Amino acid sequence: MIQSVKVKNLSLSKDNVRKCKRAVSVEAMAASIAAQGLLQNLIVTPLKKAGTYTVKAGGVRLRALQLLIEQGTLPADHEVPVLVLADEGGSVEASLAENFNRTPMNPADECDAFKHFIDKGASAEDVAKRFGVTTRFVEQRVRLAELAPAIFEALAAGEITLGVAQAYAVTADTDRQARVFEQMKQSYYGNQPDNIRRAILNGTVKANDAKARFVGRDVYVAAGGRIEGDLFAQDTGDENWTDVDLLEELAAKKLEAAAAELAQEQGLAFVTPIAATNVPYDMERQLHEFHATARPLTDEEQALVEELGTENDALVEALNTELEEGTPEAEAANDRLEAIEREIDEIETKRRAIDPAVKAQLGTFVYIGNDGQVRVHARMFSEKKVVAPNAPVGNPGGAGGVDEVDHGPRYSAALVDELATQRRQILVAHLASDPAIALDLTIFLMAQDLVFSGSYVRDHSTLKASTAQMPIFAFRDEASMASQTIEDQRQQLDTSWVGHDTMSARFDAFRALDDQARGAWVAYSIAQTLEATLNVADGGRVNGFHDHLGRLLGIEVAHWWRPTFENFFNRVKKDVMLDALEEIGGPILRGRYKDAKKTDLATTCGSLCNGQGIVEAEIREKASAWLPDAMRFDGIEKPERARARSSFVTDADEDPELDDDDMSDDPDLAGDDDEHPTHGDANGEGEDYSQAA
């Protein structure tokens, strides 16, 4: 029997069969009742006290009604319709029937329902309040309602999951949705949301892309650029810029304007804009690299630098011993230290200034930094060899216009060799007893070898620091984080010593650099000599010492390199990928993909290891840190099969069992007579400093 009962006379029965939390919250139900009223009566049985009842079915509705009364939305004596059952056993059966036979609403029906209200003129916020859900939930359902018809019909028919439908809805382009939907029908793994999302977004640009940040959202939109927000992404600010050609055009125009402004401001012959995050190596090699020499300090400048240095040291000492941090005196001292640094920088800038007539022959590049800002290349270039207008002109003489030089008495070849040898021994004896000059010479020779790698410089030394050859000819990896860091390190090197005409002048200028500048050169030079090695079981790429260096340097490879479809997974066997999945997520994750095709599996693994897969948080964290063993610095150096023989011990000190033949069978231990090929003609005529690397 249906009758009206006051809410305050109702209580929840312990016999209600639904014990677990429901998907629909009390707040959402309360919002629905407030907007539309109670659409379904409660099922109750009477209690001993007259006029009171216990609710057997409708517990959420009861709590929602109580919440509305508590909030003042409904009056305290509000009445609701109830179905009163006299039989206690029947009430339990009614509760079970009401909950057991209830059919969840199809997501497609939810989408149509929400869109109905939006089409009637209601806002997403109004609909959300009406049904007790979030505004974003309403927006997501409306986006799904606007899917391509074939996809929406598949969702309504239960042929695809809600997650798959959300993957298609990352773009509002229904034509693109339909095309990808047809493609995915033919793919074995076409029902994976991450694969669908990647296919849908192919040819779009993320809002955090360097070019997007450089152009700016407002400029892009004002030019007609389209932006689609991914309503289903975890990051609510995630956006996809779909008009890539327009973005490229806007970036190129803005960069061209920046290049023209810089050329005019600096008085340069050219500034070439590069609409990328790096300057291609081949473009640099087409030009002559120019290195400006720094003039010596004037007497006045030298005195001022010394005076500023003395004052700087005194202030630092006072801050460390006398002045208390945060006091006005300490703040004043810090301000003065900054002013001293600026004064010294101004002096340094003046002595490195380039003659305007020379600068008019030079140019450089501008490009886009990863932060979306204009970057100016740190080095200067010229299209032809630079001619200094104020340089002294030589006195031509003799045949062919060559200066006449008095070479003194002529010696026999044998005497020349003997005297040169004796002089070499004297020089070596002295250099070996002066570690400071020897260290400077070591760094200088390595640095010069790198700078003039494209020219022959006759340095009469066997010490070389030539860049190691890549295993792959003409290998280019400018886009990686490591390669960009190396390029940044190269641009920050102090090259003020390079432009001098002679090795003597270059060496003196190099020695005048501070410890930090010389240290940067030795670190960069030695690092360039390292050859490519890999942590594998055997073969010519094995070098456990490099693994040891990696551990000493605390390298976290996962921060610098990630395995992708292109650079790893599509180039290994299926078992390697499945082993990787098992290492990341255990046998369950491996079993989930064991029947996938190789290409689909490689795509999934690449997506997962780059944080794009739709998986549990714990698995995503492990995948984002996973690396193949070969890329880890975990290798342990093994003893050589034949002990290296030292030249600093006598024959009596050596192991009598060690014989030269012990090394003959090991190609890795054999010597290489061609290890240091000469840089061209032995005469070394005509050093060309314009082709510095």
Side-chain angles (χ1 to χ4, degrees), residues 59 80 107 157 184 188 208 273 368 459 521 531 549 601 604:
V80 293
M184 289 300 173
Y188 179 82
N208 59 358
I368 303 171
D459 57 19
W521 270 107
E531 296 179 342
L549 284 178
L601 182 58
T604 298

PDB file of all heavy atoms in Angstrom, residues 59 80 107 157 184 188 208 273 368 459 521 531 549 601 604:
ATOM      1  N   GLY A  59      17.818   3.273   0.280  1.00  0.00           N
ATOM      2  CA  GLY A  59      18.648   3.882   1.306  1.00  0.00           C
ATOM      3  C   GLY A  59      19.339   5.159   0.840  1.00  0.00           C
ATOM      4  O   GLY A  59      19.421   6.147   1.578  1.00  0.00           O
ATOM      5  N   VAL A  80       7.174  11.948   1.893  1.00  0.00           N
ATOM      6  CA  VAL A  80       7.493  11.252   0.643  1.00  0.00           C
ATOM      7  C   VAL A  80       6.597  10.025   0.528  1.00  0.00           C
ATOM      8  O   VAL A  80       6.137   9.461   1.541  1.00  0.00           O
ATOM      9  CB  VAL A  80       8.967  10.820   0.615  1.00  0.00           C
ATOM     10  CG1 VAL A  80       9.890  12.014   0.568  1.00  0.00           C
ATOM     11  CG2 VAL A  80       9.305   9.935   1.815  1.00  0.00           C
ATOM     12  N   PRO A 107      26.310   4.177 -21.509  1.00  0.00           N
ATOM     13  CA  PRO A 107      26.973   5.478 -21.633  1.00  0.00           C
ATOM     14  C   PRO A 107      26.440   6.307 -22.796  1.00  0.00           C
ATOM     15  O   PRO A 107      26.371   7.536 -22.698  1.00  0.00           O
ATOM     16  CB  PRO A 107      28.441   5.093 -21.848  1.00  0.00           C
ATOM     17  CG  PRO A 107      28.588   3.752 -21.220  1.00  0.00           C
ATOM     18  CD  PRO A 107      27.272   3.062 -21.437  1.00  0.00           C
ATOM     19  N   ALA A 157      25.935   0.040 -28.999  1.00  0.00           N
ATOM     20  CA  ALA A 157      25.719  -1.399 -29.169  1.00  0.00           C
ATOM     21  C   ALA A 157      26.637  -2.236 -28.291  1.00  0.00           C
ATOM     22  O   ALA A 157      26.537  -3.463 -28.286  1.00  0.00           O
ATOM     23  CB  ALA A 157      25.933  -1.772 -30.638  1.00  0.00           C
ATOM     24  N   MET A 184      41.413   1.098 -37.616  1.00  0.00           N
ATOM     25  CA  MET A 184      41.578   0.286 -36.423  1.00  0.00           C
ATOM     26  C   MET A 184      40.772  -1.014 -36.483  1.00  0.00           C
ATOM     27  O   MET A 184      41.095  -1.976 -35.793  1.00  0.00           O
ATOM     28  CB  MET A 184      41.197   1.097 -35.175  1.00  0.00           C
ATOM     29  CG  MET A 184      42.204   2.184 -34.837  1.00  0.00           C
ATOM     30  SD  MET A 184      43.839   1.487 -34.510  1.00  0.00           S
ATOM     31  CE  MET A 184      44.836   2.964 -34.361  1.00  0.00           C
ATOM     32  N   TYR A 188      44.957  -5.667 -35.395  1.00  0.00           N
ATOM     33  CA  TYR A 188      44.754  -6.672 -34.349  1.00  0.00           C
ATOM     34  C   TYR A 188      44.592  -6.013 -32.981  1.00  0.00           C
ATOM     35  O   TYR A 188      43.829  -6.479 -32.151  1.00  0.00           O
ATOM     36  CB  TYR A 188      45.951  -7.630 -34.330  1.00  0.00           C
ATOM     37  CG  TYR A 188      45.864  -8.701 -33.265  1.00  0.00           C
ATOM     38  CD1 TYR A 188      45.115  -9.860 -33.476  1.00  0.00           C
ATOM     39  CD2 TYR A 188      46.523  -8.550 -32.046  1.00  0.00           C
ATOM     40  CE1 TYR A 188      45.037 -10.841 -32.492  1.00  0.00           C
ATOM     41  CE2 TYR A 188      46.443  -9.525 -31.065  1.00  0.00           C
ATOM     42  CZ  TYR A 188      45.694 -10.669 -31.296  1.00  0.00           C
ATOM     43  OH  TYR A 188      45.615 -11.633 -30.330  1.00  0.00           O
ATOM     44  N   ASN A 208      52.759  22.394 -25.229  1.00  0.00           N
ATOM     45  CA  ASN A 208      54.068  22.637 -24.621  1.00  0.00           C
ATOM     46  C   ASN A 208      55.211  22.441 -25.606  1.00  0.00           C
ATOM     47  O   ASN A 208      56.378  22.470 -25.220  1.00  0.00           O
ATOM     48  CB  ASN A 208      54.265  21.734 -23.401  1.00  0.00           C
ATOM     49  CG  ASN A 208      54.179  20.256 -23.754  1.00  0.00           C
ATOM     50  OD1 ASN A 208      53.934  19.885 -24.899  1.00  0.00           O
ATOM     51  ND2 ASN A 208      54.381  19.405 -22.766  1.00  0.00           N
ATOM     52  N   PRO A 273      67.763  32.514 -39.728  1.00  0.00           N
ATOM     53  CA  PRO A 273      66.794  31.904 -38.798  1.00  0.00           C
ATOM     54  C   PRO A 273      66.648  30.413 -39.058  1.00  0.00           C
ATOM     55  O   PRO A 273      66.545  29.975 -40.217  1.00  0.00           O
ATOM     56  CB  PRO A 273      65.502  32.654 -39.120  1.00  0.00           C
ATOM     57  CG  PRO A 273      65.634  33.057 -40.552  1.00  0.00           C
ATOM     58  CD  PRO A 273      67.090  33.285 -40.812  1.00  0.00           C
ATOM     59  N   ILE A 368      65.082  28.342 -32.026  1.00  0.00           N
ATOM     60  CA  ILE A 368      64.083  28.322 -30.952  1.00  0.00           C
ATOM     61  C   ILE A 368      64.564  27.397 -29.839  1.00  0.00           C
ATOM     62  O   ILE A 368      64.844  26.215 -30.081  1.00  0.00           O
ATOM     63  CB  ILE A 368      62.721  27.830 -31.481  1.00  0.00           C
ATOM     64  CG1 ILE A 368      62.257  28.720 -32.640  1.00  0.00           C
ATOM     65  CG2 ILE A 368      61.679  27.825 -30.377  1.00  0.00           C
ATOM     66  CD1 ILE A 368      61.028  28.183 -33.354  1.00  0.00           C
ATOM     67  N   ASP A 459     101.759  20.944 -34.926  1.00  0.00           N
ATOM     68  CA  ASP A 459     102.057  21.185 -33.511  1.00  0.00           C
ATOM     69  C   ASP A 459     103.215  20.341 -32.990  1.00  0.00           C
ATOM     70  O   ASP A 459     103.653  20.499 -31.864  1.00  0.00           O
ATOM     71  CB  ASP A 459     100.813  20.943 -32.653  1.00  0.00           C
ATOM     72  CG  ASP A 459     100.239  19.532 -32.829  1.00  0.00           C
ATOM     73  OD1 ASP A 459     100.977  18.640 -33.304  1.00  0.00           O
ATOM     74  OD2 ASP A 459      99.063  19.338 -32.504  1.00  0.00           O
ATOM     75  N   TRP A 521      87.501  23.331 -20.965  1.00  0.00           N
ATOM     76  CA  TRP A 521      88.120  22.810 -22.187  1.00  0.00           C
ATOM     77  C   TRP A 521      88.635  21.391 -21.995  1.00  0.00           C
ATOM     78  O   TRP A 521      88.453  20.534 -22.863  1.00  0.00           O
ATOM     79  CB  TRP A 521      89.272  23.724 -22.628  1.00  0.00           C
ATOM     80  CG  TRP A 521      88.842  24.813 -23.544  1.00  0.00           C
ATOM     81  CD1 TRP A 521      88.729  26.138 -23.265  1.00  0.00           C
ATOM     82  CD2 TRP A 521      88.447  24.661 -24.907  1.00  0.00           C
ATOM     83  NE1 TRP A 521      88.281  26.832 -24.363  1.00  0.00           N
ATOM     84  CE2 TRP A 521      88.107  25.945 -25.395  1.00  0.00           C
ATOM     85  CE3 TRP A 521      88.341  23.580 -25.773  1.00  0.00           C
ATOM     86  CZ2 TRP A 521      87.673  26.165 -26.699  1.00  0.00           C
ATOM     87  CZ3 TRP A 521      87.902  23.789 -27.074  1.00  0.00           C
ATOM     88  CH2 TRP A 521      87.580  25.069 -27.522  1.00  0.00           C
ATOM     89  N   GLU A 531      84.840   6.565 -27.117  1.00  0.00           N
ATOM     90  CA  GLU A 531      84.223   5.817 -28.201  1.00  0.00           C
ATOM     91  C   GLU A 531      82.905   5.208 -27.741  1.00  0.00           C
ATOM     92  O   GLU A 531      82.606   5.149 -26.547  1.00  0.00           O
ATOM     93  CB  GLU A 531      85.176   4.719 -28.692  1.00  0.00           C
ATOM     94  CG  GLU A 531      86.469   5.275 -29.301  1.00  0.00           C
ATOM     95  CD  GLU A 531      87.406   4.177 -29.769  1.00  0.00           C
ATOM     96  OE1 GLU A 531      87.221   3.014 -29.323  1.00  0.00           O
ATOM     97  OE2 GLU A 531      88.318   4.469 -30.568  1.00  0.00           O
ATOM     98  N   LEU A 549      82.780   4.434 -15.152  1.00  0.00           N
ATOM     99  CA  LEU A 549      82.712   5.896 -15.229  1.00  0.00           C
ATOM    100  C   LEU A 549      81.276   6.383 -15.059  1.00  0.00           C
ATOM    101  O   LEU A 549      81.014   7.371 -14.376  1.00  0.00           O
ATOM    102  CB  LEU A 549      83.248   6.380 -16.584  1.00  0.00           C
ATOM    103  CG  LEU A 549      84.763   6.392 -16.799  1.00  0.00           C
ATOM    104  CD1 LEU A 549      85.084   6.859 -18.209  1.00  0.00           C
ATOM    105  CD2 LEU A 549      85.447   7.288 -15.775  1.00  0.00           C
ATOM    106  N   LEU A 601      52.690  -4.693 -30.759  1.00  0.00           N
ATOM    107  CA  LEU A 601      53.353  -4.847 -29.468  1.00  0.00           C
ATOM    108  C   LEU A 601      54.446  -3.795 -29.300  1.00  0.00           C
ATOM    109  O   LEU A 601      54.594  -3.204 -28.223  1.00  0.00           O
ATOM    110  CB  LEU A 601      53.952  -6.249 -29.360  1.00  0.00           C
ATOM    111  CG  LEU A 601      54.653  -6.598 -28.036  1.00  0.00           C
ATOM    112  CD1 LEU A 601      53.699  -6.450 -26.864  1.00  0.00           C
ATOM    113  CD2 LEU A 601      55.218  -8.010 -28.092  1.00  0.00           C
ATOM    114  N   THR A 604      52.823  -0.487 -28.476  1.00  0.00           N
ATOM    115  CA  THR A 604      52.344  -0.465 -27.097  1.00  0.00           C
ATOM    116  C   THR A 604      53.495  -0.287 -26.114  1.00  0.00           C
ATOM    117  O   THR A 604      53.415   0.508 -25.177  1.00  0.00           O
ATOM    118  CB  THR A 604      51.577  -1.759 -26.788  1.00  0.00           C
ATOM    119  OG1 THR A 604      50.437  -1.848 -27.647  1.00  0.00           O
ATOM    120  CG2 THR A 604      51.122  -1.782 -25.341  1.00  0.00           C
TER     121      THR A 604
END
